[in-house]
Amino acid sequence: MRQHLQSLSYYRWLVFGVAVTGTFMATLDSSIVNVALPVVAASLGAQLTTVQWVVSAYLLTISSLLPLFGRAGDMLGRRRVFTAGFLIFTLGSALCGLAFSIQLLIAARVLQAVGAAMIMANSQALVAGAFPGRNRGRALGMVGTVVALGSMAGPSLGGLLVGSLGWSAIFFINLPIGIIAFILGQFVLKDDDSRREEKFDFFGAFLFAVGMLSLLLLLSEGHTWGWRSQTSMIAAAISIVSLGWFIGYEQRISQPMIDLSLFRHRPFLAGNLAGLFSFMAMFCNNLLLPFYLTDILNLTPTQTGLLITPFPLLLAVVAPLSGYLSEKVSFKRLTVSGLTLTISALLYLSAIDAATPLWQIALCQAILGIGNGLFQSPNNNSVLSSVAPNQLGIAAGLNALVRNIGMVSGIAAAVSIFEGRRLNLLENLPAPTPDQLAAAFLSGYHAALLAGACFAAIAAIISLNRHSHVKPAANR
């Protein structure tokens, strides 16, 4: 049956459908949980400081394992690793739904994240492999649409499920989807011709996981621990030693987990660096805007959600269009245009106050959605088109890793700048008035958004210095 499917003219779209099902599941599950956290805390008798690890453990595990499973896909076959990821993700989802303590729930989320990392590290590579050459940009643009839809649907779907069926339902909903996707993957996806019979670099994988986990813990929790605290210093030392050892070790062995020579290719390096700073810029806004809308404008959660909706909605519309354009127009032109829109919107948001009309805030969210949609698809196309077909797995894994590091780093930077500025203004006010509290909040918010604009400007400068167009490696 697999041979028959592969002979069909629309076979590549079948591959696309299976691949983006995994992308949608993994993205949805990172956002659908947030709305359930208060209910989970009450149900399992946990403090919010503990229950937030239901989200943090998921993101940290994925970020630590993405390159490992990208490399495993190149070696063992992307179909094998990708479909196994569905089984592990589905098992983890079942255990999450059955968990009767917060400790078991967090452990099950780690298992679920292992499966999600296997899926995310190979889904983009599967799409890129099925759409070689000039059609790749359009397909990757549609992947961006799926990511946006997953993020957008998560809170709404989660609220409905939790309200009607309880918090376990947000995990149990994955079971039929995961099982069906696994079966379809077995029949639709073909074995990789490019897979390599090599030894897996277990020690390198260990060093990378330890170093990356320490780094992401520092970035996500440093503002809580205190950046100069003993815990932060230990995490920083472990990260520096582990990642430094990893880089030196990878350069000495013949079959490394990550081929660091990929970063010698200017399009690959520039695309990943630009992506890192663009996600840092985006998450400075994504984190703090809801607090501004709630604390300063006193909007309800429904009103806040409506004002934020233009961002993912426009991103979902523009991403496939920019992917299509990236097949005809230079990557540089599209990415710089998108980042210019992002800088403009962030600069405007860095000057808003309690009297700013709501339509202007919604317009800025729309501009940010257009800007990110213009940037992401061509940038991803540039990165994956710069590597050989048998390196697509590790390249896609690194690209997804950069996205996660950018999210965590942007949140950490925004919180640190916001809190530092706000607390500095309130330091000598023993009993600040509501007006003084609002003024301190806005000052911190403005500083964080200016930092976000600077991150986007750095990404734009990097994009300006990339090659104007890169021919896909498969066509060389």
Side-chain angles (χ1 to χ4, degrees), residues 78-153:
R78 292 174 202 127
R79 178 180 69 87
R80 186 179 301 177
V81 176
F82 180 77
T83 54
F86 274 114
L87 287 181
I88 296 173
F89 184 89
T90 304
L91 175 61
S93 298
L95 294 175
C96 284
L98 295 171
F100 53 83
S101 72
I102 190 63
Q103 291 80 11
L104 288 176
L105 178 57
I106 293 172
R109 282 285 279 177
V110 170
L111 179 64
Q112 191 186 39
V114 172
M118 296 172 76
I119 293 170
M120 293 173 66
N122 290 278
S123 59
Q124 203 174 31
L126 286 168
V127 172
F131 291 82
R134 62 188 303 272
N135 294 315
R136 181 175 290 167
R138 193 179 319 179
L140 292 175
M142 294 178 70
V143 172
T145 301
V146 172
V147 171
L149 290 174
S151 301
M152 188 166 52

Side-chain angles (χ1 to χ4, degrees), residues 250-331:
E250 294 294 285
Q251 292 176 333
R252 294 195 303 270
I253 63 175
S254 59
Q255 298 175 2
M257 185 189 82
I258 297 178
D259 185 359
L260 296 176
S261 65
L262 287 174
F263 291 98
R264 297 173 187 164
H265 300 299
R266 188 171 178 178
F268 185 84
L269 177 61
N272 276 293
L273 285 176
L276 172 70
F277 284 104
S278 75
F279 275 99
M280 289 179 68
M282 184 165 56
F283 272 77
C284 283
N285 170 68
N286 288 6
L287 175 75
L288 293 177
L289 181 65
F291 291 95
Y292 162 80
L293 297 175
T294 302
D295 296 347
I296 301 300
L297 301 188
N298 298 313
L299 299 186
T300 66
T302 300
Q303 292 171 322
T304 297
L306 287 174
L307 274 175
I308 294 174
T309 297
F311 183 104
L313 187 62
L314 269 295
L315 174 62
V317 172
V318 173
L321 296 177
S322 67
Y324 173 76
L325 288 174
S326 72
E327 301 165 9
K328 305 177 181 300
V329 183
S330 73
F331 298 142

Side-chain angles (χ1 to χ4, degrees), residues 213-274:
L213 183 62
S214 302
L215 174 62
L216 294 178
L217 275 173
L218 175 63
L219 291 175
S220 61
E221 300 294 329
H223 63 276
T224 302
W225 297 337
W227 294 107
R228 297 182 180 180
S229 67
Q230 184 179 15
T231 304
S232 294
M233 293 295 108
I234 292 174
I238 293 174
S239 177
I240 292 171
V241 171
S242 298
L243 292 178
W245 193 354
F246 169 77
I247 292 172
Y249 179 77
E250 294 294 285
Q251 292 176 333
R252 294 195 303 270
I253 63 175
S254 59
Q255 298 175 2
M257 185 189 82
I258 297 178
D259 185 359
L260 296 176
S261 65
L262 287 174
F263 291 98
R264 297 173 187 164
H265 300 299
R266 188 171 178 178
F268 185 84
L269 177 61
N272 276 293
L273 285 176

